[in-house]
Each structure stands twice: as C-alpha cells, then as structure tokens.
Amino acid sequence: MSDQHPLYERERHRAVSSTPWDEQSAREEIRCIVDAVFAARLETGLWPCEIDFPLSLYAGVAGIAWAIDRLTDRGYLDQAPVGLCASQLAVTPELINCPAFFAEFDVPLSHSFYLGETGVYLQAWKETGEPGLLDRLDQLIGANMEHPWMENLWGAPSTMLVASHLYRATGDERFADHLRLGADYLWNRLEPQPQTGCLMWDIEIYGEQTWLTGAGHGYVGNVFPVLRSREILGDDLYRCWTDSIAQTVTRTAQREHGLANWRPSIGKARKGRDSFLVQQCHGAPGFVISLAALYGCGYEDFDQVLREAAELTWQAGPLNKFPGLCHGTPGNGYALLKMYHLTGDELWLQRARQFAVAAIEQRHERSEAGVNASSNLWDGALGLALYLADCLEGKADFPTLDHF
C-alpha cells in the first residue's frame, strides 16, 4: 500500500488495535494514571511543566485540579487528594506567566483561557465561589476583547469561552455582554478569503499572518464560543452566523472518496505547517468537535462533510504521538464520540473505544521505553483518563470546552 494519501499523512498514524475494549481495564488505567500524576508532584505543590506555564489550565495545576474534580465527581476516585486545589496556590505573575516567552511579542498574552490568568481564576472560582474572582474575571475578559491576535489560544475567542462558561454557571449579564461584544468584534472583522471567497479571518500570530482554519488557532476555534451563544445573540443574528459558518466550512473542505479534511491554513502556510493534519488542534477532528452544535440544523451538505471528517479521523487511525487531547489519539477520539451523539449510531462508540484501547497501549509503550508522561490535562495523561471515562459512559463532552 502506498504511504501517500491525498488527505492525511499515513506516517503520522498507526493501525487501530486488535485488542478488544474492556471496561475493567479502562477503569484500572484511570486509577493508574491518577496515581502516576500524584507521584510526579513536586514539593512546591506544582508539577514539572515543559512549556513553563505551571499554573495553567492547559499544562499546569488548574487543569490537573479540574480533571481530578471531574473524575472524583463521576465516581472514578474515592475523594480528591488533599491540598490539590488551584485556589490554594499563590497566583503570582511569575507563576501564571512565562516572561521569557511573552518578551518576544509586543502584545498582551497573559489573559488566555488555556495558558494565562483566566483559566486559573476560573478554576479557583469553581473551587471557592469567591465573588471577587468573578470581578477579576470580568476585568480580564474585557481587557482581552480587542486582542490583535484573533485566534483561540490567546485572543478574544479564548476569553469569550470563559464568559460562556461563567454565564451558564451564574446567569450574570456581565458575561452575556462580553459574548455579545465578542461576537460583534469577530463578525465585523470577517472578510472574503481571496482563493475561496469565504468569509474568514486573516489571522496574525507569532509574527506570521495567514487564513488559519482549525480549532487550535483558526476559524473553527473562533466560531466555537459563538455557536454556544444562541440564547444570547438571538435567533436572527445567530442564523446569520450559522449560514456563514456552514458555507465557509463546506467550501473550504478538501473532499475525496467520502472523506474530508482541511489544511491548517488556506493560501500562504505558516512556516513548516503546510501538511494535512488530523488532530484536535488542526484538521478534521477539531472541526467535528467544535462544530457539532451546528449538525442537524438544516445544512445538509455541512452535515455530510462533518460525517466525512469523522470517517477520515477513523480511517487515518490513532496518532503516533503521546495520547493526549490537543494532538493525540484521545483528542481525535472525541470526534468519534461526538458523531455517536449526533447520529445515535453505536458504530461510532465502538470506534471511539478502539481508539481508547490504542491510547492505553501507547501510554504503556512509552512507559516501558522509559519516557515519562506529562501529568497535565491537555497534552498529558489526565486527558487520556477523562477520555476513558467518557468512553465508559458514552459521553462526548470535550474537557474544559463543552463544560467547566
């Protein structure tokens, strides 16, 4: 068989495991992951953090606390380990931010949901209910509204998601206002992409500028918080958004033989990022996960292309990376769980569970090779633990995105 495929690179993937899914093995794996996470904890109360954001939701204590809370609430742990809470740690600029990283860019980067203050304070508020934290989050979301990088890791869409979580939790109109302002900000900056004519954003990030597509930094990540805001935006404005989204997604898809994928960008690519990827952050899985709310809303070609994207995710197979959420097998598996919920077809749940088996095997292979797993939520072992729990229960809520 040729190593070439028109819509993905075979060498980035591996075959689906032939080992059958086993519920008891999945439960034991969750417990083993949690034990390993706490064995790796430092005396400071932090964990080793490869990307220098030790308190963050993506890679630090806030995300670890969130994951442990979820696993405990759902009965996979007897009780949360004492002294874990993000709110018990001193929240200082030195811990939240990485000055060496930020110094490269003449833009504010500290408010990010994933890597900055808002994710940490949101988890701390969840733990304590402290009203002053809501005031602080209100300020931070407002300060990030016109961030020059219109993308989902650092810019306004990142903190719009925080506003969405807070509005759903509290009903506080301050956070509904942030969502309305954010949606207006994004809508007014849409412009036709030259090659396709589709309304998109010419996104600047890390000194480069291009028409990014995916859930990590691009179009799909930007519209995700908008799709969560129907009751806030009203039916007419929401319909304008969904008409535009459905058209852009279907017209920019690359489709072959019942499969669909999207390059990370249209036109000029970011340096070294011109290949088709099949990940949550870039490519078909992220489209399925982020756009699921639009499925079944009367856009038949959109529904078809989302099914084709899920089928590509399955046919490409598990990723040859550590089994994490952002760019690993569990993250891709959530696209299969989403399609199970959207269609009711048990085949998608079976497929998601086979991805889970492959992810367990990947974790064991790395451990046997002496490669220590990261403890964090988004690209570490706790993301796998949550994916296993969702495969056990047949749920499809992507961690920290669909709920908080």
Side-chain angles (χ1 to χ4, degrees):
M1 180 183 294
S2 169
D3 286 338
Q4 300 302 315
H5 189 281
L7 296 180
Y8 65 92
E9 297 181 348
R10 295 187 193 277
E11 64 270 18
R12 294 180 182 269
H13 301 267
R14 62 191 283 170
V16 176
S17 175
S18 60
T19 303
W21 163 257
D22 179 72
E23 289 193 6
Q24 185 59 36
S25 296
R27 292 179 184 278
E28 291 173 358
E29 190 71 12
I30 292 171
R31 182 70 255 184
C32 287
I33 288 170
V34 173
D35 287 346
V37 165
F38 281 93
R41 196 178 191 187
L42 304 173
E43 291 183 2
T44 59
L46 302 174
W47 275 263
C49 185
E50 296 176 1
I51 58 173
D52 294 327
F53 295 91
L55 288 188
S56 69
L57 192 70
Y58 185 102
V61 175
I64 293 170
W66 186 90
I68 296 299
D69 284 349
R70 288 288 298 164
L71 291 170
T72 303
D73 291 345
R74 294 165 68 177
Y76 293 97
L77 306 177
D78 293 335
Q79 62 181 18
V82 175
L84 171 64
C85 297
S87 58
Q88 294 179 341
L89 295 169
V91 181
T92 66
E94 291 75 23
L95 282 177
I96 289 179
N97 305 328
C98 176
F101 178 86
F102 293 140
E104 294 183 41
F105 308 104
D106 188 25
V107 293
L109 296 176
S110 61
H111 302 333
S112 166
F113 173 54
Y114 304 94
L115 290 169
E117 295 171 273
T118 56
V120 178
Y121 286 125
L122 182 59
Q123 176 61 23
W125 173 78
K126 182 184 174 187
E127 293 168 1
T128 66
E130 171 57 48
L133 290 171
L134 290 181
D135 296 335
R136 179 63 176 150
L137 285 161
D138 176 38
Q139 294 168 359
L140 291 170
I141 296 166
N144 208 47
M145 191 58 66
E146 296 190 2
H147 195 290
W149 294 359
M150 286 188 294
E151 52 78 54
N152 185 45
L153 185 63
W154 302 106
S158 165
T159 41
M160 285 174 66
L161 183 55
V162 180
S164 177
H165 286 316
L166 286 169
Y167 180 71
R168 291 187 177 200
T170 67
D172 190 326
E173 279 295 319
R174 290 180 294 179
F175 301 111
D177 289 342
H178 285 309
L179 287 166
R180 294 185 190 100
L181 288 171
D184 286 347
Y185 177 72
L186 290 173
W187 181 263
N188 290 333
R189 284 157 181 78
L190 284 167
E191 54 185 310
Q193 199 281 328
Q195 284 101 318
T196 65
C198 296
L199 293 177
M200 297 181 67
W201 296 278
D202 190 7
I203 294 170
E204 177 189 357
I205 184 172
Y206 304 139
E208 299 180 87
Q209 190 150 2
T210 187
W211 304 85
L212 292 166
T213 64
H217 292 296
Y219 179 86
V220 171
N222 286 5
V223 301
F224 177 73
V226 175
L227 288 174
R228 291 170 53 89
S229 304
R230 180 170 190 163
E231 71 278 17
I232 293 168
L233 300 180
D235 288 343
D236 291 345
L237 179 55
Y238 190 79
R239 185 71 182 191
C240 290
W241 269 105
T242 58
D243 286 350
S244 180
I245 293 166
Q247 181 182 75
T248 294
V249 169
T250 53
R251 289 179 60 181
T252 57
Q254 303 294 301
R255 304 168 79 171
E256 295 275 350
H257 307 298
L259 306 176
N261 202 0
W262 293 259
R263 290 192 184 276
S265 58
I266 298 174
K268 179 185 176 183
R270 291 174 62 199
K271 186 177 180 180
R273 295 173 181 265
D274 58 349
S275 301
F276 277 114
L277 299 175
V278 186
Q279 300 176 172
Q280 187 277 336
C281 50
H282 297 289
F287 277 70
V288 178
I289 292 162
S290 296
L291 301 173
L294 193 50
Y295 189 90
C297 292
Y299 304 102
E300 293 183 6
D301 196 30
F302 170 86
D303 291 355
Q304 179 63 31
V305 83
L306 224 61
R307 290 192 295 270
E308 292 171 3
E311 186 64 36
L312 178 130
T313 302
W314 167 251
Q315 289 197 21
L319 280 162
N320 280 326
K321 293 188 174 187
F322 180 81
L325 294 176
C326 185
H327 33 255
T329 300
N332 286 14
Y334 271 103
L336 309 179
L337 287 175
K338 286 287 185 186
M339 196 51 59
Y340 165 59
H341 269 256
L342 294 174
T343 66
D345 188 341
E346 290 278 342
L347 174 64
W348 292 107
L349 179 58
Q350 295 170 17
R351 288 175 165 185
R353 287 172 168 171
Q354 285 310 118
F355 266 40
V357 172
I360 291 172
E361 292 176 351
Q362 287 175 300
R363 178 175 176 270
H364 289 183
E365 289 165 8
R366 288 180 173 251
S367 178
E368 290 165 4
V371 179
N372 293 325
S374 298
S375 298
N376 65 60
L377 172 58
W378 266 80
D379 64 2
L382 280 173
L384 170 56
L386 288 162
Y387 179 63
L388 294 174
D390 283 347
C391 283
L392 283 163
E393 299 177 41
K395 292 185 176 180
D397 289 336
F398 196 96
T400 72
L401 297 187
D402 291 319
H403 58 82
F404 201 91

